[in-house]
Each structure stands twice: as structure tokens, then as C-alpha cells.
Amino acid sequence: DTEVTQTPKHLVMGMTNKKSLKCEQHMGHRAMYWYKQKAKKPPELMFVYSYEKLSINESVPSRFSPECPNSSLLNLHLHALQPEDSALYLCASSQLGTPYEQYFGPGTRLTVT
Amino acid sequence: GENVEQHPSTLSVQEGDSAVIKCTYSDSASNYFPWYKQELGKRPQLIIDIRSNVGEKKDQRIAVTLNKTAKHFSLHITETQPEDSAVYFCAASTSFGNEKLTFGTGTRLTIIP
């Protein structure tokens, strides 16, 4: 299985809602990533987990809270988001030491109203 | 930190012609240079990468070149086909110890039939 899956595909939430994005991979990868991608822009790194521990936080606002419950799952908890947080949220995974070879999920299209 | 610049931002070529996309990077410690292709509405996918100890790498119609002294690397697509139309992102990373990939700003390639 060489696929990264993400749920939901689309999400519309109000600024007072709490929601979660989910990502799963079964390739045995021990590095997992969350990216935010705005239209016509490159993926922007948010968080990196290595061996289920947060190793990189790119100064992301606390309304985004990542969680890695086990080596196959990655969650992104959302709370009190702003309209400017509307974007495509991509999850990716790779072998440790090979961040250049990342496998991306299809993304969650998030709209904050 | 690493900074990757990419040119051009848009590129249109006649089907069958060649396309060239160029990138420069700033961190001399970077030693892996992947290229990702993102079709409209799809996830980014790795298409080829080159390592710092290699000057050129080919895979069918795609080739990448690297000039480590000048900190330049390029993607060459020959005999372009309509399915090559996509956004292409160059990127740079180091190996073990820093699970981070820095993307260029992207090139929207359009193949004109």
C-alpha cells in the first residue's frame, strides 16, 4: 500500500467550531507532515512528526493542534479558525532521513465561514 | 534557513517542444533536490530527484541537472505531451537530522496542442 489517505475531502466550518482532519498511511513511514496550500502557491510546512514526536513546528498559531496517536495516524485539530485559514490541507509521509521523497495525501479542502 | 527560487512562474510550450524550469537555492548544506508535479485538483507527486554528488539524471522524457557550485538546478521535459500540463515545484532538503523540504514557488506549465 503506497497511499496516504485523508478525511474528510471537504470541510466547511464556522469560526467557533471544533473539527479534526485525519491522515493515515501504512507504508511504515516514521516521518509525517502537515502542509497548508493556498491557491497557486507551494505547500507551506506546518508540522513534522518523527517517530510520533513533534520535531518541527513552523510557528503555527495555537488554533491548529497536531496529534500523532500512532505510527500510522496523524490528526490536525482545528479550533476558532479564521477565514484566512481556508486552504487545502495536505498530509504527507516519508521514511526518516528522506524528506525529499514524500508521499502526499489528496488533501482536505477547508472553508472557514 | 533554506530559500528556493523558481522561474518562470508560467510557461506555455507547443506539444512536442521542450520545457525547461530553473531553480536556485541558498543553503549550501542542501544535498537533495526533488521535483514534484501537481495536476489540477490533485496531490503533489514526486517525479524525479537528484542528489548533490550527481550532475545529471534522466528518466525517459524528464531530466534534471544540478550545478552545486552555482546552486542551480533545472528540470528538462522533452517531447512534451498534453498530460505534462501541471504545476511543477522544485524543492531542496538535507538528509538525516532535518526532516524538512523547502519548496520553490512553482511553475504552471501549459502544453498547447
Side-chain angles (χ1 to χ4, degrees):
Chain A
D1 186 357
T2 58
E3 190 172 342
V4 177
T5 59
Q6 287 187 245
T7 56
K9 287 186 177 180
H10 302 276
L11 179 62
V12 179
M13 61 185 291
M15 289 188 283
T16 58
N17 291 158
K18 285 186 180 181
K19 296 286 184 182
S20 296
L21 310 184
K22 297 185 183 298
C23 173
E24 189 168 5
Q25 58 88 13
H26 294 287
M27 294 178 278
H29 291 168
R30 302 307 293 272
M32 296 187 76
Y33 311 78
W34 278 116
Y35 290 90
K36 174 183 179 180
Q37 188 177 29
K38 291 278 210 179
K40 301 184 180 181
K41 296 290 187 182
E44 178 184 344
L45 184 65
M46 300 174 72
F47 304 103
V48 181
Y49 273 82
S50 302
Y51 284 118
E52 297 88 68
K53 291 186 179 179
L54 185 64
S55 59
I56 296 177
N57 178 340
E58 293 287 85
S59 302
V60 178
S62 59
R63 58 186 184 267
F64 295 91
S65 176
E67 178 195 21
C68 190
N70 60 53
S71 60
S72 300
L73 293 174
L74 187 66
N75 298 322
L76 186 63
H77 303 297
L78 314 173
H79 174 53
L81 294 192
Q82 303 297 309
E84 59 264 30
D85 296 322
S86 298
L88 180 68
Y89 287 83
L90 291 162
C91 172
S93 70
S94 73
Q95 299 282 6
L96 275 175
T98 60
Y100 51 89
E101 190 173 344
Q102 293 185 22
Y103 291 79
F104 282 84
T108 293
R109 175 74 59 190
L110 175 66
T111 303
V112 181
T113 61
Chain B
E2 176 65 276
N3 181 48
V4 179
E5 295 188 356
Q6 184 172 347
H7 300 281
S9 57
T10 60
L11 179 61
S12 295
V13 300
Q14 290 291 136
E15 182 178 352
D17 287 352
S18 295
V20 180
I21 301 171
K22 299 182 177 182
C23 291
T24 61
Y25 63 99
S26 61
D27 188 350
S28 57
S30 291
N31 52 6
Y32 289 89
F33 306 93
W35 288 85
Y36 284 80
K37 175 183 181 182
Q38 188 173 25
E39 296 178 52
L40 189 64
K42 300 282 185 70
R43 70 190 81 189
Q45 289 193 297
L46 177 68
I47 55 172
I48 195 168
D49 66 74
I50 190 167
R51 305 183 182 189
S52 59
N53 59 350
V54 174
E56 183 175 2
K57 182 177 179 180
K58 288 184 179 180
D59 183 3
Q60 299 183 348
R61 298 186 295 107
I62 293 174
V64 289
T65 59
L66 171 65
N67 182 330
K68 197 159 173 64
T69 302
K71 296 182 186 168
H72 290 170
F73 58 113
S74 300
L75 176 71
H76 304 250
I77 306 174
T78 58
E79 301 173 12
T80 53
Q81 300 170 4
E83 55 264 36
D84 295 329
S85 293
V87 178
Y88 291 81
F89 294 102
C90 63
S93 80
T94 59
S95 54
F96 287 91
N98 183 2
E99 307 295 329
K100 186 173 177 177
L101 190 61
T102 302
F103 285 93
T105 48
T107 296
R108 180 171 298 279
L109 175 63
T110 302
I111 308 302
I112 305 166

